[in-house]
Amino acid sequence: MNLVVRPFGLKLTEWRILQCLRQLNTLTINDLSEMAVIERTVTSRLVDKLVARELVKKTSLPNDRRSIQVVLTKAGARLVDECDEAVTSARGELFAGLSQKNLQAFNATLVQLQQNAATVFRSRSGGGFASTPQPRKTGNR
């Protein structure tokens, strides 16, 4: 997937952060890190790079200035939209020959793994992600 998003000026991890923000609109650095499955310090550095490119915006929470919220800008949303066709095409090639049933089972497995990872993360860090992402629609492939 890195090769697919590279022509748009993104690394895979940056694209993943933008995707997470498109899905849930506003996230804290901690929640974004957990959802994107990227270490918090790496997430923080990537967000700073995306801020510099005006693809995301950071704001402090009014009740806790130490906690930072990240939101996708219009430019960031446009860039993710531009990537969609290439990503969808690459996924189509990747999943070619798999039935809808296979794709649904694969997606359910990924969601379960992400939930398990979030549980492990919470138990070891004391942190937590407020919501679990929903399975993606797999379309007709």
Side-chain angles (χ1 to χ4, degrees), residues 31-100:
D31 288 346
L32 185 55
S33 170
E34 188 172 331
M35 185 176 180
V37 193
I38 303 170
E39 288 184 30
R40 189 193 177 291
T41 54
V42 174
T43 299
S44 185
R45 283 193 300 266
L46 289 169
V47 165
D48 287 342
K49 289 179 183 179
L50 294 170
V51 166
R53 293 173 58 193
E54 299 182 351
L55 299 175
V56 301
K57 186 173 123 183
K58 292 190 324 186
T59 57
S60 297
L61 290 172
N63 56 345
D64 183 1
R65 297 187 65 94
R66 296 170 297 165
S67 190
I68 303 295
Q69 283 186 314
V70 183
V71 64
L72 195 61
T73 64
K74 288 181 182 179
R78 276 193 305 272
L79 184 58
V80 174
D81 289 343
E82 290 172 17
C83 291
D84 276 349
E85 186 177 335
V87 169
T88 299
S89 177
R91 283 181 177 159
E93 292 174 40
L94 181 64
F95 295 120
L98 295 176
S99 70
Q100 187 67 27

Side-chain angles (χ1 to χ4, degrees), residues 115-130:
Q115 290 171 346
N116 292 351
T119 300
V120 169
F121 177 80
R122 279 192 298 273
S123 71
R124 294 185 181 174
S125 70
F129 180 58

